[in-house]
Amino acid sequence: MRGKDIYTRARKTMVESQLIPRGIRDERVISAMLKVPRHLFVDEALMAQAYSDYPLPIGEGQTISQPFMVAFMTEALGLRGTERVLEIGTGSGYQTAVVAELSGRVYSIERIPSIADRARKTLDSLGYPNIVIKIGDGTLGWEEESPFDAILVTAGAPQVPHTYMEQLAEGGRLVIPVGGEFVQELMRITKKKGRIERESLGGCRFVKLVGRYGWQED
Ligand code: SAH
């Protein structure tokens, strides 16, 4: 079988065995998960495991999130196709691509330059004109490009940085893991008519959000 077919089938199995049984329902999210070639976002030595049910290392002590977590967080943002999205923690760029399939434009911030450069290369080779990546401290947000209809944070924060609340549009959704160093609660925060609504989406485990309004560097 050709390589391409192997990965296409692996994505279908991933969706059918990991995402649908755990409740992912949004058809657009499912299509994006079937489309984005996750194996191209990891090292060659890890490609055979790219569609397995766990996170994988991407260097510098960071990880590409588990497929289910990517689908779950993306679904929680409720994207319809035209949104301006801020993503904190580009990492491999995999979730950036998934979100770019479902929104208007993605502004993504990564603090580790070598990781950001690699994500940029991968995304350029796949051709995503609606993704902008910046190297810097994502806890500050991206004021010049705000407000955002959706903000997605893929690293764990000790508390919600106030910058995100300020840069979230009316009706906007913020999805962020909040809690301790090793386990967090995935929160969805919605800005509605000046009111803030908070819901817990369950427990999770992310690498640390390191920055001015996150964890301090070791
Ligand atoms: N969604 C990514 C997850 C990467 S892990 C993926 O699936 O590949 C989280 C990333 O957040 C790491 O690359 C880490 O370097 C980055 N990060 C941590 N703190 C950050 C900050 N303050 N600003 C930007 N990126 C940050």
Side-chain angles (χ1 to χ4, degrees):
M1 211 190 308
R2 284 176 303 140
K4 179 171 176 277
D5 298 326
I6 293 172
Y7 292 120
T8 304
R9 282 186 47 175
R11 278 196 291 283
K12 193 157 178 281
T13 306
M14 169 187 83
V15 165
E16 287 168 358
S17 67
Q18 301 169 33
L19 309 189
I20 293 179
R22 293 191 192 128
I24 302 298
R25 289 286 172 269
D26 187 329
E27 285 300 333
R28 297 178 69 247
V29 172
I30 290 172
S31 306
M33 297 297 290
L34 285 171
K35 180 174 173 191
V36 179
R38 179 171 165 96
H39 61 284
L40 299 181
F41 292 84
V42 300
D43 273 349
E44 210 161 339
L46 294 174
M47 279 190 186
Q49 293 177 71
Y51 297 97
S52 301
D53 195 11
Y54 42 77
L56 290 168
I58 56 170
E60 308 277 352
Q62 308 304 320
T63 54
I64 175 172
S65 305
Q66 176 196 27
F68 170 72
M69 192 47 75
V70 171
F72 185 66
M73 290 178 96
T74 305
E75 188 174 70
L77 293 172
L79 301 171
R80 302 267 49 105
T82 55
E83 296 84 355
R84 293 166 57 79
V85 183
L86 174 66
E87 179 192 48
I88 310 303
T90 316
S92 64
Y94 172 63
Q95 185 152 14
T96 322
V98 171
V99 169
E101 291 283 346
L102 301 170
S103 63
R105 200 167 190 79
V106 188
Y107 297 86
S108 187
I109 309 177
E110 170 58 52
R111 67 181 281 268
I112 302 176
S114 60
I115 290 197
D117 290 343
R118 214 163 119 204
R120 228 178 234 148
K121 278 200 190 99
T122 312
L123 291 165
D124 282 349
S125 73
L126 292 169
Y128 280 98
N130 59 336
I131 294 177
V132 195
I133 297 177
K134 168 166 110 168
I135 296 168
D137 177 4
T139 67
L140 305 177
W142 196 327
E143 207 189 341
E144 306 88 297
E145 297 295 349
S146 69
F148 298 99
D149 305 300
I151 301 179
L152 167 70
V153 184
T154 69
Q159 68 272 314
V160 179
H162 64 87
T163 42
Y164 301 155
M165 299 316 300
E166 290 157 14
Q167 296 177 22
L168 197 59
E170 173 56 37
R173 287 84 60 199
L174 162 65
V175 172
I176 179 171
V178 183
E181 230 173 284
F182 303 107
V183 284
Q184 305 91 30
E185 205 174 341
L186 190 64
M187 302 296 302
R188 174 164 57 192
I189 298 168
T190 311
K191 225 187 211 182
K192 266 188 201 156
K193 298 187 181 123
R195 283 194 34 235
I196 306 292
E197 234 175 71
R198 294 170 69 102
E199 325 157 55
S200 169
L201 305 177
C204 57
R205 172 181 285 249
F206 280 86
V207 297
K208 283 199 273 185
L209 180 74
V210 179
R212 189 187 303 170
Y213 303 118
W215 295 95
Q216 302 313 302
E217 230 158 325
D218 296 324

